[in-house]
Structures are given as structure tokens and as C-alpha cells.
Amino acid sequence: MSAGGASGAAPVAAAPSTTSGSNPSLAAARLSASEEMLHSTQSYVSDVTGTASSARCEFNYTLNSLQSFHLEIDNLQAESTFYSFLAALCGAVQILLLVLQTGHSSSQTQAAKLSILSTCAHSVLDALLCVGHLLLSAAVPGLMLRDFMWIAIMKLVTFCVFEMRLTIAAYQARFAAEQTSEGAGGLRRRLASLHLRFYGAVFFFMFYVLTFANQPIYIFLALYSFWVPQIMQNVLQGNRKALAPAFVWGMSITRLFIPLYIYSYSGNFLQYMMLTTDSGAQAPVEHATAACVFLVLWVGLQALVLTLQDKLGPRFFLPKQWFPQPYDYGRPLPINVRTRDRDTDRGAAGTRSAHVPSRGSGSGSGSGSGSGSENGDLELASSSAVPHLAGDDGGTGGSRVVAGDSDYAECIICYNAIENTPGYVSVCVCEYVCMCACVCIIYY
């Protein structure tokens, strides 16, 4: 059996190019000696050439410029363990945040506010990370399997269970009417279509990442714009508080760890897996500090816009003329509504007596005269007190009217006379007037 030699950046000894095929052990010994000489030069092997042949087996194999790679086993193992610990910690935090968001979106109304594209973007990103760690676990047999396999399993559980559950909840809430009309068969078809598009996106972005591996800014723009669909849906539908603030900021921060580790940390584990090229040995991925700065600013901007949408309104950054103005329940009262001024009508004692007739025993308008005095009770009520609901006086319910104030407008919920105080009155579209406190009691 015969074998060729190896060449590198420095002169090294090579095995003879032709050796008798009758003694394979001798050829192996010469190859071993040649490898020892290569290691003694402290130079990376760039290519290997030669011929392997055996007359007995009628075998002839030519090695022509095979590329090689260099592994620093000790440093690689230590750095892989460090990385796997931090990546697993970020993955555990992300699972807890997904559980928190699932509870936040438990109702159909909240789930309908979620953007399906946004939740699918998170799922696609975790699916790509799962595949990447699975391939890394097999890159160096027996070395990286322990560190990277369980990260791949964690990402698999994240996108297959937690994120897919959130996506399906948003899908069902969005198309609840269609599901009712189509039945179980229609639901199965819609979910099958959703899964088909999801895995199609996973395969597309897998090739996309391999194509732009050394141009990370394109990867960041495509995979780390996961909040943009949610921002757009908030603008179009006028939604607030679709996502829990802890979920937004927690996911944004933990998502940054892996790309920043790979593209900005000079001591990452990829630096100990040197590939040989025509220009010499280099790491599989080059550093990109500017792209990492862009990534941090871009993800932070998305999270900041989502937070401000909850506080300032979903369309705060757009001109109001672009959208129809929503109805203002705090608008001024109609001119035909007479209200009491709390400052001018307050008596010296600070209280007023109210007569509460039973419903049906007096006039429906709530007049303080006539049959209202037959079976009503006098009650002292402060003008600044929170209004009571109708019927809370223990009777059958009735129209609460302040004595002598029959001309004042009254709340359609608690029947108290309306006071002209800013932030105290809500005007409906039909121009019925009620107190804000009563609306809060009913809806909140």
C-alpha cells in the first residue's frame, strides 16, 4: 500500500509517494512518523496529496488537494461547555416567558390581538437554531454531542410545543367565525396549511442563512425583525397590550445572546475549529462588530415601539390624518344636557338628601315630587362619593334623584344626577350620559 504526503505553510516532511503494497504496516508507520513531524512544526496543514494503492485488493485511490481543519481539543471543549450553559439558560428563560405570554393571551380577545406572523417568526428562528445545534453536535464525534444535543432538544420543545401553541391560539381566535361555519374538517385543513407554510419557511431560511453566513446584517434583518408584524397589526387594528411587557423585553434580550456570541466574541468555540483556505487558516465565521451594533439597536427599537404603543397609543408615531378618528367618550356634553356644577351647588353642610322611589311607583323620569315619597327612604350622599348602582339600596331598584334637581340629567346606570366635572362623565354615541365610575364597575 502506498500513500502520499502533506503540505502546509512551512516546509514539512512528506511520506514517500510510492511504497510497496505488500507491507501495509510499514506504510502506516511512515504516515504516523510524517504526522509527528507535521505537528512538530506547529503549522496548520493546508492540503494533503498522494496515492493509496493495494495490488492484492486491486485498489488504487488518488488524494488530490484535500482540505483539512485544525482542532484545539482542550480549548474547544471548555468553550463549548461554557457556551452550552449560557445558551441553555437563555432557552429556559424563553420557555418561562412563553408560559407567561400564554397566560396573558388566555382569553379569545387577547389571543386575537397577537400577530400570527410575529409568533411564527419566533418559531422559525428557534427551528433554525435547533437544526444548527443538531449539526454542531455531530461536527466533532464524541466531543460536542453532550454540549449541543440537549440545546437542540430544548429548542425543539420550544418551537414545537410552546410557540406553536401560542400560534394556534392566535389563529383560532382570529378565524373563530370561519371555524364555526367550516366545522372540524375546515379546522384541520387550515392547521395543515399553517404547518406547511411554517416548515416551508424553515427550509427557505435555512438556505438563506447558509448563503449569507459571512454577511450577518442580511441575516439579522430577515430573522430578527420578529416584532415588526406585531407593531403593524397594532397600528392597523388599534390594539394595545397584546404582549406582556416582560415577554417583549425578556425575549428581545435573550434572543441577542447567540448572534452576539458568534459574531462579536473573539473567544467563541468556532475560533478553535480552523479551516484552511488559499489565504491560510481562518475561522468558519468572521467577526462583524458593526452588524452586531445594528442588531442591538434594531431589536431594542422594536421593543421600545411596542412599549410606547401600550402607553401612548398604537398609532402614536403616525400622523392622525392617516386614520379615521375613534369616537371620544370624554367629549363635551351635548348642549341640551343640564348638569350640576360640583363647586357652585355644594351646600354648606357638604351633603344633599336624595329620594329613591321604587321603579314603577312614580314617574319614569325620576321626578322628586308625587308618588316618589310614598315608600322611599331618605339617604345622605356626599356629592363627591362614588355613584352607586341601581338597586343597591336594598329595594327593587329605582331612579335615584337629588331632591329639587329633577331638571338635571341623570346617569343611565346608577340614576344619580350628573355632575359637570372633567373626567367624571362619559357620553355614549347615542348621547346617553353615564358616569365613568359606573362604566368601570361594569366592564372592569
Side-chain angles (χ1 to χ4, degrees), residues 45-66:
V45 177
S46 60
D47 57 74
V48 179
T49 59
T51 303
S53 62
S54 174
R56 180 181 302 176
C57 300
E58 297 182 355
F59 173 79
N60 189 0
Y61 187 76
T62 301
L63 306 177
N64 187 14
S65 297
L66 297 180

Side-chain angles (χ1 to χ4, degrees), residues 352-377:
R352 289 189 292 268
S353 62
H355 188 71
V356 185
S358 61
R359 189 182 299 272
S361 62
S363 60
S365 62
S367 175
S369 59
S371 60
S373 59
E374 294 180 9
N375 38 11
D377 297 323

